[in-house]
Amino acid sequence: MPQITKLKDALYSQEFRNLVREVTGCGPLSGKKTDGSVGLYTQGSAHAGSIVASTLTTRSHLLLHDDSISSRLISYILYLPNSPADQSSSEVQLRPSASGSFLKGWDPKWGGSLELFPVENGEEVGLPGVKRVSKVDVSWGQIIFFEVKPGRSYHAVEEVIVGDGRQRLGVSGWYVPLARKRRLWD
């Protein structure tokens, strides 16, 4: 648990929020209001709730949605997928962790990619289209940012195929705008 708290503190630090602003072009972000979860896809595990953890079983996926809850402005996903240190059956080069206790990396054939969907009929806002327009494969240490747009920023996680001790670990969260101080005459 202390490691998750350190990661949360780093992700919501002023320095990192400044980086997010620079990368996304959004305005000031709150460091006080934090919203996130840790998702672990692993074989034979049960599902739990949001922050701190959700664990999903083999062949799990996350259905199409747009992250539009409350004042969410920017979504992020940090990928930390891993396999047992003795795993050798991947076509993708898996790198040993610093401790040597696991291998860092993920083979795209194991699924779990972020899928992006258009708005139906090319409208500005509306229902999601049924065919994805792009996908982002999972890669160790990769962080993805995207703007939350109600009725527009549709995405899903494709089916995850785990086994042989593999785990698709992802840390997801959202940044919200910095609350504007109200003046008495507003």
Side-chain angles (χ1 to χ4, degrees), residues 109-125:
K109 72 180 179 189
W110 300 333
S113 296
L114 176 66
E115 300 178 304
L116 306 174
F117 291 81
V119 174
E120 190 176 67
N121 301 324
E123 300 289 327
E124 183 66 25
V125 174

Side-chain angles (χ1 to χ4, degrees), residues 25-43:
C26 71
L29 299 169
S30 174
K32 291 183 179 178
K33 185 174 181 185
T34 60
D35 184 3
S37 67
V38 176
L40 178 63
Y41 294 78
T42 185
Q43 188 169 15

